Amino acid sequence: MNDLVRQHTALSETDLEWLHLLVSEWQLLSDLSFADLVLWVPTLDGTRYVSVAQMRPNTGPTSYQDDMVGHLVPRGRRPLLDAALDEGRIVREGDPEWREEVPVRVESIPVRREGRVLGVIARNTNLLTVRTPSRLELTYLQSASDLAQMIAAGTFPFPGEAVDMDASPRAGDGLIRLDADGIVQYASPNALSAYHRLGLAADLVGQHLGQITAELAPSRGPVDEALVKLASGYAPREAEVEGNGGVIQLRAIPLKPKGTRIGSLVLLRDVTELRRRERELITKDATIREIHHRVKNNLQTVAALLRLQARRMDSDQGREALNEAVRRVGSIAIVHETLSQNLDERVEFDEIADRVIAMVAEISPGKVTCRRNGRFGILDAEVATPLSMVLTEILQNALEHAFAQGEHGTVEVTAVRGEPRADARLLITVKDDGRGLPEGFDPQRAGNLGLQIVRTLVEGELGGTFDMQPGAERGTSVVLDIPVQPQK
């Protein structure tokens, strides 16, 4: 719609915002009218109309099999559009049109904003299945007529009340028509069933909806007054009411077809099962986070025990082996700590990488600077956990073997994330400017326990490749190539 309006019309950005607000609401008008709606806007030169939006009803057959958006028609071909635009009134004159052997009643509703007519809504009703209307259908049509008059007067939609069409109740979910005093004149079967879910034992018709709703909902002190006003339809609002184990979503729409409120529409939907499932998911998420939190605490306890044991070791070699184990356990604990703060099993690995780098840098025998370049991005937990251990081992190996006591140096971790596609890969390079590899060193065969762990995790768990080679000028470069899931 933005492109069509800006390309073909003289409407301003504020006018366009009004049309967007209208389109966010007009599914209700379409359903209440049992009719297709097409929004026509005059072109810049005033000689044609362009259709910028279309809506089909959920409550009846469509009048248009084809998509009408983007169609241009010259002025004069559709007299009802001309009359509605020029005279600023709803036009219903004329005989039904025949489209593919289907009679269609056409009406035109001017769209007004601040006294100006921006365009015209063509309301097209398929008359093929016309029959004597029921009480529900009569209520729908009367409500649609009131809303159409409000659109023509520029009082609907309500400014600042943008509606989420997917989340808000629709006419078919449940509809209640109130008079000016908030008394129920009509309640659809779905609406009545929703109130029975809240614990209502009687009929709704003739009852004051606000008072009945407040009685069914648990006592909340001052909130009751606001609930009474909302359910009485005095202002355009949305709320949820919970009682007797049921939850219903309410939306009030004041009806002011001639400037004075004559009553209200209350749309409602039974969302009991939806909210129950949401609560189950929240409980499940909380449980998962608590599990990660406890695992992190247990791992930190193990690390503390290993650290205590290391302090009691007389052997330097044994003490260092235990300290290495402390750092390995610590890297896994960092991942679980991050997962305990998330709602899903995916983590932002850059934070984990920075913490691992800081943790391992504490063992540096010299004045070595560690830094990270690039972004790892978001990774699944099953990738983050082994990758944190791999990164710990590689950094630990570099700091222990690349630099002598008191020697200055740099260790740089670079991450390059591939394009977000199914076969995306993460390329990690850990490069130091230390003494380099010993002569004849084969990283695929030789190496300490740390390198064996790296090879096993990278090739076995992560399904990637691992390589260690001399740097371009000096030092060592370790390259990891790992497949990853696309970022969401």
Side-chain angles (χ1 to χ4, degrees), residues 27-28 30-32 34-35 55-61 165 170-172:
Q27 178 71 65
L28 174 61
S30 177
D31 290 345
L32 293 176
F34 307 99
M55 179 58 66
R56 292 183 173 90
N58 293 317
T59 52
M165 294 176 61
R170 298 189 178 188

Side-chain angles (χ1 to χ4, degrees), residues 194-479:
Y195 266 82
H196 285 167
R197 187 74 174 262
L198 290 181
L200 178 69
D203 194 2
L204 273 173
V205 176
Q207 304 274 8
H208 189 283
L209 187 66
Q211 295 176 359
I212 286 291
T213 305
E215 291 172 3
L216 293 173
S219 178
R220 300 176 184 174
V223 180
D224 284 346
E225 183 178 351
L227 184 60
V228 169
K229 289 184 177 180
L230 182 144
S232 300
Y234 291 118
R237 295 178 184 171
E238 289 195 36
E240 286 191 3
V241 179
E242 184 172 356
N244 194 41
V247 185
I248 62 172
Q249 183 181 9
L250 296 175
R251 182 191 175 201
I253 303 173
L255 297 176
K256 304 176 181 179
K258 297 182 180 180
T260 303
R261 192 174 72 87
I262 64 169
S264 306
L265 278 183
V266 177
L267 305 178
L268 63 152
R269 176 171 56 186
D270 186 345
V271 293
T272 305
E273 290 303 312
L274 179 63
R275 296 297 175 260
R276 182 185 64 80
R277 291 175 185 175
E278 288 178 352
R279 288 167 185 162
E280 287 180 353
L281 288 175
I282 291 173
T283 302
K284 179 181 177 182
D285 289 338
T287 302
I288 291 173
R289 289 199 299 271
E290 178 63 21
I291 289 172
H292 284 302
H293 181 72
R294 293 190 181 188
V295 169
K296 182 263 297 184
N297 288 344
N298 291 339
L299 290 173
Q300 288 180 337
T301 301
V302 171
L305 292 173
L306 291 173
R307 196 176 293 112
L308 286 172
Q309 187 67 36
R311 291 172 184 168
R312 296 175 179 271
M313 293 288 292
D314 296 329
S315 167
D316 291 341
Q317 186 176 5
R319 185 183 305 110
E320 183 55 35
L322 287 176
N323 285 332
E324 287 182 4
V326 168
R327 288 186 286 274
R328 288 165 185 151
V329 172
S331 66
I332 301 175
I334 290 173
V335 176
H336 282 282
E337 181 179 3
T338 305
L339 286 168
S340 70
Q341 300 168 0
N342 293 338
L343 293 176
D344 54 24
E345 292 292 291
R346 293 167 67 82
V347 295
E348 178 63 63
F349 196 80
D350 296 319
E351 178 186 351
I352 294 175
D354 291 339
R355 294 181 63 181
V356 167
I357 290 171
M359 177 183 68
V360 178
E362 295 176 357
I363 70 167
S364 172
K367 299 178 180 180
V368 180
T369 301
C370 297
R371 60 172 177 261
R372 171 179 63 86
N373 295 321
R375 293 191 69 250
F376 289 84
I378 298 175
L379 298 176
D380 292 334
E382 56 263 29
V383 174
T385 301
L387 183 57
S388 67
M389 286 194 64
V390 168
L391 192 59
T392 300
E393 297 298 335
I394 294 175
L395 289 170
Q396 192 167 271
N397 191 69
L399 292 173
E400 285 183 357
H401 302 291
F403 305 98
Q405 185 72 33
E407 184 179 2
H408 290 263
T410 301
V411 177
E412 188 174 69
V413 179
T414 302
V416 178
R417 188 79 177 248
E419 293 295 325
R421 56 191 187 191
D423 57 347
R425 304 190 74 83
L426 176 63
L427 186 66
I428 305 168
T429 304
V430 181
K431 181 169 60 177
D432 66 71
D433 55 3
R435 68 186 68 171
L437 296 173
E439 186 176 350
F441 181 82
D442 183 0
Q444 300 301 329
R445 296 181 179 275
N448 54 21
L449 175 61
L451 287 181
Q452 294 177 23
I453 291 174
V454 170
R455 284 196 297 268
T456 301
L457 292 178
V458 171
E459 297 172 0
E461 289 200 34
L462 297 175
T465 60
F466 159 73
D467 191 22
M468 178 182 286
Q469 54 196 3
E473 297 181 0
R474 57 173 299 180
T476 305
S477 179
V478 178
V479 180

Side-chain angles (χ1 to χ4, degrees), residues 77-299:
R77 178 175 295 179
R78 300 193 176 184
L80 297 186
L81 294 182
D82 298 339
L85 183 67
D86 297 339
E87 302 172 21
R89 65 181 179 88
I90 299 176
V91 182
R92 296 189 175 93
E93 298 88 354
D95 297 326
E97 297 180 3
W98 287 83
R99 300 175 188 165
E100 299 180 357
E101 300 183 355
V102 175
V104 176
R105 182 176 63 242
V106 181
E107 304 167 86
S108 295
I109 305 167
V111 177
R112 193 184 304 273
R113 174 182 175 269
E114 295 181 353
R116 296 168 44 244
V117 177
L118 307 182
V120 179
I121 294 176
R123 182 163 56 177
N124 303 268
T125 307
N126 188 324
L127 300 177
L128 195 61
T129 57
V130 169
R131 54 182 173 77
T132 303
S134 64
R135 178 74 187 282
L136 180 144
E137 291 167 335
L138 288 173
T139 304
Y140 272 29
L141 293 172
Q142 180 59 54
S143 302
S145 177
D146 293 335
L147 288 178
Q149 291 182 58
M150 292 170 64
I151 292 173
T155 58
F156 186 82
F158 304 108
E161 293 289 333
V163 174
D164 184 348
M165 294 176 61
D166 294 328
S168 185
R170 298 189 178 188
D173 296 326
L175 179 142
I176 297 175
R177 175 87 184 214
L178 307 178
D179 65 13
D181 296 322
I183 304 300
V184 177
Q185 293 181 313
Y186 176 78
S188 72
N190 284 346
L192 189 58
S193 296
Y195 266 82
H196 285 167
R197 187 74 174 262
L198 290 181
L200 178 69
D203 194 2
L204 273 173
V205 176
Q207 304 274 8
H208 189 283
L209 187 66
Q211 295 176 359
I212 286 291
T213 305
E215 291 172 3
L216 293 173
S219 178
R220 300 176 184 174
V223 180
D224 284 346
E225 183 178 351
L227 184 60
V228 169
K229 289 184 177 180
L230 182 144
S232 300
Y234 291 118
R237 295 178 184 171
E238 289 195 36
E240 286 191 3
V241 179
E242 184 172 356
N244 194 41
V247 185
I248 62 172
Q249 183 181 9
L250 296 175
R251 182 191 175 201
I253 303 173
L255 297 176
K256 304 176 181 179
K258 297 182 180 180
T260 303
R261 192 174 72 87
I262 64 169
S264 306
L265 278 183
V266 177
L267 305 178
L268 63 152
R269 176 171 56 186
D270 186 345
V271 293
T272 305
E273 290 303 312
L274 179 63
R275 296 297 175 260
R276 182 185 64 80
R277 291 175 185 175
E278 288 178 352
R279 288 167 185 162
E280 287 180 353
L281 288 175
I282 291 173
T283 302
K284 179 181 177 182
D285 289 338
T287 302
I288 291 173
R289 289 199 299 271
E290 178 63 21
I291 289 172
H292 284 302
H293 181 72
R294 293 190 181 188
V295 169
K296 182 263 297 184
N297 288 344
N298 291 339
L299 290 173

